[in-house]
Amino acid sequence: MPVTESKDCDLVLYTNPQSRGRIVRWMLEEIGAPYHQVLLDYGSSMKADDFLAINPMGKVPAITHQGEVVTECAAICAYLADAFPAAELAPPTGKRAAYYRWLFFAAGPLEAAVTDQARQVTVSPEQQRMVGYGSFERTLEVLAQAVSAGDYIAGDRFTAADVYVGAHVLWGMQFGSLPRRPEFEAYAARLSNRPALQKARSIDDQLAASS
């Protein structure tokens, strides 16, 4: 198992099992490198000075790797894909257009649209020009087209973009923030059998149950 008890490990995940840290856990299991985990609580250790020195936002996940700090899930996924090239989770440098496009589509328009929808924020037709995602319905349609264009979001093989986009689709349908459209269900089915995802889920589920 990549999780190590050694605090001397140069790759550290700061997380909570009931957070977006699950996305990064999945990514870490995909790369297969040993990492140390630091579990934080909302409102206490997440807001403590030692963690705020790592992420002043006081939010998880965050990672440190060889003295470098990376926050924000999409950035962490992209960073780890580059830092551990043997895992082949990023396309070749000259073929990353779709990879970057959908990775940051999910980090920007999709997450904002889903968050606003959950908060019951109404965007009028006049406001759609100033809102990055335009409308929730249009964002869902674009996502559905993207995940059904091929087996994976950036081409014919699995990449870090599938970890991030896939997490949104999987957990969005699980918790009802995304509808169970056939395109989403088919994409989720292609990802659900990945051993790294299953292992990551098992780790976080056990941590959540014991907390």
Side-chain angles (χ1 to χ4, degrees):
M1 181 181 292
V3 181
T4 176
E5 295 301 318
S6 174
K7 295 182 180 180
D8 295 327
C9 184
D10 68 359
L11 178 57
V12 181
L13 168 65
Y14 298 85
T15 190
N16 180 289
Q18 295 175 317
S19 75
R20 290 175 177 84
R22 284 178 172 256
I23 301 173
V24 176
R25 172 92 66 189
W26 177 11
M27 183 66 190
L28 287 166
E29 294 298 331
E30 290 284 355
I31 66 173
Y35 63 93
H36 177 63
Q37 65 181 6
V38 176
L39 302 178
L40 301 173
D41 294 322
Y42 290 100
S44 56
S45 52
M46 245 181 250
K47 308 302 181 185
D49 290 343
D50 54 349
F51 182 63
L52 291 176
I54 294 169
N55 186 3
M57 293 293 289
K59 288 182 173 289
V60 293
I63 66 166
T64 56
H65 179 232
Q66 298 180 347
E68 299 291 335
V69 175
V70 190
T71 65
E72 315 314 320
C73 287
I76 294 171
C77 289
Y79 174 87
L80 289 172
D82 286 346
F84 297 89
E88 298 185 333
L89 290 170
T93 303
K95 297 182 178 180
R96 293 190 179 181
Y99 171 76
Y100 286 132
R101 177 186 182 184
W102 298 115
L103 184 62
F104 294 106
F105 171 83
L110 177 59
E111 178 149 355
V114 169
T115 299
D116 279 356
Q117 183 75 2
R119 294 173 57 235
Q120 300 181 334
V121 174
T122 301
V123 178
S124 70
E126 295 76 17
Q127 292 172 321
Q128 289 183 13
R129 288 191 304 170
M130 64 180 290
V131 176
Y133 61 83
S135 72
F136 179 72
E137 293 75 17
R138 185 59 183 164
T139 302
L140 291 188
E141 186 60 35
V142 171
L143 177 63
Q145 292 173 10
V147 299
S148 59
D151 285 346
Y152 299 108
I153 196 70
D156 58 1
R157 68 182 182 89
F158 181 89
T159 68
D162 290 294
V163 172
Y164 191 69
V165 176
H168 279 276
V169 172
L170 286 160
W171 287 298
M173 288 195 298
Q174 179 181 349
F175 293 108
S177 57
L178 287 180
R180 289 189 170 274
R181 291 181 57 147
E183 302 96 328
F184 299 160
E185 291 186 322
Y187 180 56
R190 291 193 290 274
L191 302 181
S192 292
N193 291 329
R194 294 193 66 82
L197 173 57
Q198 294 175 355
K199 183 183 290 186
R201 280 178 168 171
S202 176
I203 293 170
D204 278 320
D205 287 348
Q206 289 179 35
L207 288 170
S210 63
S211 61

